[in-house]
Amino acid sequence: MLIRRLAAEERLTTSFPLQAYAFEATPLSRERVEAFHRYLPYNKGNRTLVVEEGGEAQATASAVPMRQNLRGAVLPMAGIAGIATHPLARRQGYVRALLCQLLDEMRDGGHPVTALYPFRASFYERFGYVGLPRARTVRFSPADLAPLLRAELPGTVGWERIGVGYPHYRSFTERCLRERHGFAIFPDFRDVGLRDRDDRWLITATVDGSVVGALTYRIDDHGGELVGDDLLAADPYARALLLQFLARHVDQVERISLRVPADDLPELWLTDLAVHVEARVSRPGSPAPMARLLSVDALAGLPAGPGRVRVDLVDDRWLAGTHLLDGVDGRLALAPGGRSAVTGGGPVPTATLTAAGVSALAYGVLDPAEVHIRGLGEVGPEAADELRRLFPRALPYLFADF
């Protein structure tokens, strides 16, 4: 087995065909094959590995160098994507070997966190990944937004093609990255594909000269559906401005759909809003994202409550050892420590955590008791209380789809 990194132009004949077979309708049309050439520039900064035997590509995996907000800290993130295996080479350990090397390289390159969309969640849980909430799809009639047409709201709405308005959109997603836990965005070389395709409308909500909300969308037909992407809003006024614009389509489309974070409650947006909210997770085809820490240093300096606990990190290639976590000053401090250390006259509670367990706490998706129930660690009652103070529950919103 030979694992090597692909040069950009090699992807056309190695990784792209494998990925297309795994994730697209095949055999590929001539037009789709030609589209690979147009898609190549948006992969130029990816790290793509391939397994070869006998000079033939057997499996491939890529990492996109992204950024993600973890409890307020913006960190380099490895977005793992395009994991695919030749149909005659599956279940032979190629993906395991590829993923280990790819994560080694990304961690060594300064990416302390990583996320992906799994083909099977249980497979990636063994690699230390833990599930994140899936964005909700919201469907409603524009007629139910009529009350907003009478509302006087601060700010204005702009409307243009995404190809023109992309700088405003990108700037606002950068703001969301700084402010929203779990939020991740593509590097510039990948994200500009949205601008270049120019196949979306963009509406922006602006208050005092600053963009505070954005939505990209398309309309499938007259009397059909206005299909929105992620509704991004800094506050309820920004959201109301965007919805007010959508209300003006009552005589044009029958319904509107868009995506919202898991902590949004569309049923409370308006009185008498008949809304369908759905988070569909299926295998294959519609996975919820997963994430994990690749370095314990990702925790250093995060906002934390006044807790103190010792954690033994076990059964992982990238996270190991015993660490004292201390949040007494409002920021998480890390220190190597043995089990015998004491503070305040008594022993510090200890928890044993897998990579998935500590990642679940860091991302705020599981309570310490749930970590124990799920078999992701051994957490006693005292340690659980400390961990709850250190890592309050928080719902991450990944945003980027890759």
Side-chain angles (χ1 to χ4, degrees):
M1 182 193 305
L2 170 67
I3 299 178
R4 67 180 182 90
R5 184 177 180 182
L6 294 179
E9 62 276 5
E10 291 184 281
R11 295 177 181 137
L12 292 171
T13 56
T14 51
S15 62
F16 282 6
L18 286 176
Q19 293 163 354
Y21 184 83
F23 302 112
E24 298 189 32
T26 54
L28 294 173
S29 66
R30 181 176 302 172
E31 292 76 16
R32 182 57 182 150
V33 173
E34 292 173 353
F36 285 167
H37 292 266
R38 297 192 298 271
Y39 184 59
L40 191 61
Y42 308 112
N43 288 261
K44 63 183 179 182
N46 292 357
R47 180 177 292 268
T48 299
L49 303 183
V50 66
V51 171
E52 292 179 336
E53 284 197 348
E56 296 292 329
Q58 303 297 320
T60 185
S62 294
V64 186
M66 302 171 64
R67 288 172 292 152
Q68 184 180 37
N69 182 313
L70 181 65
R71 294 186 181 269
V74 176
L75 304 172
M77 184 194 91
I80 305 302
I83 296 180
T85 308
H86 190 288
L88 295 179
R90 292 172 179 172
R91 298 183 180 275
Q92 296 183 38
Y94 292 135
V95 168
R96 177 174 292 276
L98 268 179
L99 192 58
C100 285
Q101 180 158 328
L102 187 58
L103 292 180
D104 279 348
E105 293 180 9
M106 295 305 289
R107 183 181 188 273
D108 292 345
H111 295 78
V113 293
T114 172
L116 52 75
Y117 288 83
F119 66 85
R120 184 190 297 268
S122 58
F123 176 85
Y124 289 102
E125 187 178 80
R126 295 193 291 272
F127 281 90
Y129 285 87
V130 66
L132 305 184
R134 185 168 179 79
R136 271 52 177 160
T137 299
V138 182
R139 293 183 176 87
F140 51 87
S141 167
D144 287 350
L145 301 178
L148 286 173
L149 294 174
R150 300 187 297 271
E152 294 187 6
L153 301 171
T156 59
V157 172
W159 175 68
E160 56 198 338
R161 292 279 289 262
I162 184 62
V164 175
Y166 174 78
H168 302 297
Y169 182 78
R170 177 67 173 182
S171 177
F172 185 62
T173 60
E174 289 275 1
R175 173 180 171 176
C176 294
L177 173 68
R178 297 190 300 269
E179 297 178 354
R180 184 77 192 233
H181 170 52
F183 205 88
I185 62 173
F186 291 121
D188 288 337
F189 69 80
R190 169 73 173 265
D191 202 58
V192 293
L194 178 64
R195 176 199 65 194
D196 297 345
R197 289 189 301 273
D198 197 22
D199 60 356
R200 295 288 195 275
W201 295 108
L202 168 68
I203 51 174
T204 51
T206 302
V207 175
D208 295 330
S210 298
V211 175
V212 294
L215 173 70
T216 56
Y217 72 94
R218 61 182 177 83
I219 296 175
D220 64 6
D221 204 354
H222 181 74
E225 184 171 358
L226 187 155
V227 183
D229 299 307
D230 292 69
L231 181 69
L232 303 176
D235 56 46
Y237 287 111
R239 183 182 64 210
L241 280 168
L242 299 177
L243 293 176
Q244 187 182 65
F245 174 87
L246 297 180
R248 299 189 178 101
H249 293 72
V250 63
D251 295 320
Q252 183 177 353
V253 299
E254 179 182 2
R255 60 194 172 275
I256 294 170
S257 68
L258 45 83
R259 291 191 300 266
V260 298
D263 60 356
D264 207 337
L265 301 174
E267 63 270 30
L268 302 182
W269 286 351
L270 289 167
T271 305
D272 291 335
L273 176 63
V275 62
H276 178 87
V277 183
E278 179 183 42
R280 182 175 180 267
V281 177
S282 64
R283 177 177 54 85
S286 184
M290 303 182 80
R292 63 155 291 166
L293 306 181
L294 280 176
S295 170
V296 72
D297 292 338
L299 299 175
L302 295 184
R308 188 175 171 88
V309 66
R310 202 172 308 282
V311 296
D312 294 329
L313 301 178
V314 298
D315 302 331
D316 188 66
R317 181 187 183 98
W318 299 280
L319 302 180
T322 300
H323 304 269
L324 179 67
L325 307 184
D326 191 343
V328 68
D329 294 325
R331 293 284 174 179
L332 192 61
L334 299 177
R339 292 176 178 271
S340 61
V342 297
T343 184
V348 178
T350 298
T352 300
L353 299 173
T354 64
V358 70
S359 297
L361 296 172
Y363 279 93
V365 293
L366 295 181
D367 181 82
E370 294 172 307
V371 169
H372 192 183
I373 292 168
R374 293 269 296 272
L376 305 179
E378 294 292 330
V379 185
E382 292 182 356
D385 287 341
E386 298 297 316
L387 287 168
R388 287 188 189 100
R389 285 190 280 270
L390 287 171
F391 300 107
R393 194 70 177 265
L395 281 181
Y397 172 33
L398 186 60
F399 173 64
D401 194 354
F402 50 93

